[in-house]
Amino acid sequence: MAFPSVAVWNQETADISRENRKRQASPCSFFCSQGQSICLSADYFIDSRLATAARGGVAGKHRHKVQLALYGQLMAAFEYMLKDFFAKTLDATSVFDEQVKKADWLSITTDRILMQRVVQASIGSTLVHPTMGWHTPEIVNKRFDNFFGHKPVSGNQLSTLSKLWILRHSVAHNAGFVTANDAARINQANLSERVVNIDADFIKESFSFLQEIAKDLASNCGKSLIAQWFKSVKDYGANYTRDEATYNRIKLLSVCETRRTQELPEITEAMYTADWAVYAV
């Protein structure tokens, strides 16, 4: 069986290029862009787009399968954002190197080193992306708090996010079938031994909920990253020419552009000067 090649639609159009720039520089912005695209897809195959004769039970059955897959993709995009914020932080600065050495969830295995022969990956990607635990909000909060002094998932969000991950498990591993155990874990006895009905409205509500976490992460963990980096260089004095490359990278990590069609902001010397006055004290 031939392995799938690159998608034919994945060409250098303005839309794809913009998303790639967000993926490469701003994980939270990329999640918002991906999430909005998924919501648009979930709403695409509505009855009004179908011929009258094509509506009904068969269309509903296929639409349900599509929306299950889209929900799984939404949660995968959210997990990628959490991991990639860490990975890009470690790629951008050495500020956290001592913390990395002490973090028992970060390690390099022989397999990861040998894979570099096939595809080169950054230090941050090699350390972070293969790790587990991102489906447990309490673990996620602990990791971010240890590095950035902030928990991106607030207390009243923990239960909801845990339930979304359990539903994602049902979609990804049980084809949408909810076991009795998982139904009990989300306190939905009516779903026990049944297939969950994830529709476009639920996908959009889930994205709206997850986007609030993304905005909090970029704002608060991003500010912490900027503050810690400035403190590490303040003894050298302000010098935008020297710091431009690193500053641009960490500044964009603090950005969460929620508009899918909006480019990332241009990072300027004026921003650097303003941040220096705030954080290099």
Side-chain angles (χ1 to χ4, degrees), residues 220-238:
N220 291 295
C221 295
K223 286 178 182 176
S224 174
L225 166 60
I226 292 170
Q228 293 186 66
W229 178 74
F230 268 115
K231 288 177 182 178
S232 75
V233 300
K234 67 177 182 178
D235 290 344
Y236 303 106

Side-chain angles (χ1 to χ4, degrees), residues 186-248:
I186 60 176
N187 196 30
Q188 297 290 327
N190 61 309
L191 291 178
S192 178
E193 306 299 313
R194 297 187 179 189
V195 175
V196 63
N197 180 29
I198 291 179
D199 59 13
D201 287 340
F202 183 78
I203 290 172
K204 287 184 281 188
E205 289 171 10
S206 297
F207 170 64
S208 180
F209 171 81
L210 296 171
Q211 184 174 239
E212 291 305 309
I213 298 175
K215 290 191 289 187
D216 180 274
L217 192 162
S219 176
N220 291 295
C221 295
K223 286 178 182 176
S224 174
L225 166 60
I226 292 170
Q228 293 186 66
W229 178 74
F230 268 115
K231 288 177 182 178
S232 75
V233 300
K234 67 177 182 178
D235 290 344
Y236 303 106
N239 187 323
Y240 184 67
T241 301
R242 179 197 65 214
D243 294 335
E244 181 178 5
T246 301
Y247 177 73
N248 282 7

Side-chain angles (χ1 to χ4, degrees), residues 26 31 45 59 63 170 208 211 246 249 251:
S26 180
F31 169 71
F45 295 104
R63 181 161 51 234
S170 297
S208 180
Q211 184 174 239
T246 301
R249 294 176 77 177
K251 186 68 173 178

Side-chain angles (χ1 to χ4, degrees), residues 240 244 247-248 251 265-275:
Y240 184 67
E244 181 178 5
Y247 177 73
N248 282 7
K251 186 68 173 178
E266 180 184 356
I267 307 304
T268 65
E269 184 173 0
M271 293 178 180
Y272 171 87
T273 301
D275 281 342

